[in-house]
């Protein structure tokens, strides 16, 4: 059973668009929610992360929105660029274990 | 530079053969992890180790084995008991010890294993 459910599986947007990737969880013990970016043939790299006592966090063009009561969080990419084309994973931490979503493959068209 | 090194990048295994994937880190992290990545399934935890000479099974440990004899090294052996080993394998280490646990996973570049 997947602890973190991620959608959509794939996403295509035009350059400058705002792709939104959503994740949901059930385990209220999760206390840290990172997003990872992965390019083909490479390992994932940390993009941005949030703790559940914060409703929004921005770093550059990337924003996490967090809704603790709904147990949902999402990644927004402002002014998306072709270089943002990658697979994005949400994750949630329960002390020393991380649980990952199934990934979203983003394609930003020029 | 500090980081995680996985080798080899590509590995081919014959039916019935055991193979070992290497993972080395120089980040001085206590915790190390092995994940398997399949298309559409995200990352699934195989084994993890919080400290030298200790490790625990993850969600899909069957057909795999690990050792943790040194802090820097956490090799994964894919045994012949693993019936569907073709996948992308990722090693990670985590730091930031404390009451709230590790705060970030650093990943290696992965090993792509193919059964031939």
């Amino acid at each position: 059973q997947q602890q973190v459910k991620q959608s959509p599986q794939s996403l295509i947007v035009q350059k400058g668009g705002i792709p939104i990737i959503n994740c949901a969880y059930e385990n209220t013990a999760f206390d840290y929610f990172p997003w990872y970016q992965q390019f083909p043939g490479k390992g994932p790299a940390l993009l941005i992360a949030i703790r559940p006592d914060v409703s929004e966090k921005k770093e550059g063009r990337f924003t996490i929105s967090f809704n603790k009561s709904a147990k949902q969080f999402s990644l927004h990419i402002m002014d998306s660029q072709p270089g943002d084309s990658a697979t994005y994973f949400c994750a949630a931490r329960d002390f020393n274990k991380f649980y990952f979503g199934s990934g979203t493959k983003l394609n930003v068209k020029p | 530079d500090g980081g995680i090194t996985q080798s080899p990048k590509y590995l081919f295994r014959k039916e019935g053969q055991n193979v070992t994937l290497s993972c080395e880190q120089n980040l001085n992290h206590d915790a190390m992890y092995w994940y398997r990545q399949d298309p559409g399934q995200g990352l699934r935890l195989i084994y993890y180790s919080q400290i030298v000479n200790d490790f625990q099974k993850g969600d899909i440990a069957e057909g795999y084995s690990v050792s943790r004899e040194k802090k820097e090294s956490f090799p994964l052996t894919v045994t012949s008991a693993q019936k569907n080993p073709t996948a992308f394998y990722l090693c990670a280490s985590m730091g930031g010890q404390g009451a709230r646990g590790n705060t970030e996973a650093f990943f290696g570049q992965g090993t792509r294993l193919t059964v031939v």
Side-chain angles (χ1 to χ4, degrees):
Chain A
Q1 184 181 0
Q2 202 154 23
Q3 297 256 7
V4 180
K5 296 183 179 178
Q6 182 173 347
S7 63
Q9 189 173 356
S10 64
L11 193 53
I12 301 173
V13 300
Q14 293 295 128
K15 177 183 174 182
I18 306 175
I20 301 172
I21 305 170
N22 300 299
C23 287
Y25 65 96
E26 288 297 328
N27 186 352
T28 55
F30 290 150
D31 64 353
Y32 180 71
F33 301 87
W35 285 88
Y36 285 84
Q37 181 188 55
Q38 184 181 30
F39 293 103
K42 304 293 185 183
L46 180 67
L47 190 63
I48 186 173
I50 197 168
R51 296 191 189 279
D53 51 352
V54 176
S55 60
E56 185 177 274
K57 183 173 182 181
K58 289 183 181 180
E59 285 187 5
R61 295 184 294 107
F62 300 93
T63 299
I64 300 178
S65 297
F66 191 88
N67 185 329
K68 188 173 181 179
S69 60
K71 299 195 196 100
Q72 295 175 349
F73 58 111
S74 59
L75 176 70
H76 302 231
I77 306 176
M78 311 303 286
D79 187 28
S80 59
Q81 301 296 314
D84 296 329
S85 297
T87 298
Y88 292 82
F89 292 95
C90 61
R93 183 189 72 186
D94 181 1
F95 191 58
N96 283 327
K97 288 177 71 175
F98 279 75
Y99 296 89
F100 289 84
S102 54
T104 296
K105 189 171 184 179
L106 173 65
N107 183 7
V108 181
K109 292 190 173 295
Chain B
D1 282 2
I4 299 178
T5 301
Q6 288 187 242
S7 62
K9 188 170 183 178
Y10 299 97
L11 186 57
F12 297 91
R13 191 193 94 169
K14 294 180 180 178
E15 295 281 352
Q17 188 179 42
N18 292 356
V19 291
T20 297
L21 285 60
S22 170
C23 178
E24 304 276 333
Q25 56 101 355
N26 60 4
L27 299 166
N28 199 33
H29 288 165
D30 286 313
M32 296 187 73
Y33 301 73
W34 274 105
Y35 290 90
R36 169 176 171 146
Q37 186 174 20
D38 295 282
Q41 294 195 50
L43 281 65
R44 293 183 291 166
L45 183 62
I46 304 172
Y47 268 98
Y48 64 105
S49 169
Q50 300 292 336
I51 198 168
V52 174
N53 291 324
D54 187 49
F55 48 82
Q56 287 79 40
K57 292 181 179 180
D59 301 319
I60 56 165
E62 185 175 351
Y64 300 97
S65 66
V66 293
S67 62
R68 187 84 186 277
E69 297 176 0
K70 299 187 300 182
K71 186 175 185 177
E72 302 80 16
S73 179
F74 191 40
L76 173 75
T77 296
V78 184
T79 74
S80 56
Q82 171 49 240
K83 298 306 178 189
N84 185 23
T86 295
F88 191 51
Y89 290 87
L90 287 161
C91 178
S93 72
M94 297 186 192
Q97 294 289 341
R100 302 183 78 173
N102 295 315
T103 56
E104 182 180 342
F106 292 86
F107 285 88
Q109 295 299 291
T111 293
R112 186 164 298 281
L113 174 63
T114 304
V115 173
V116 296

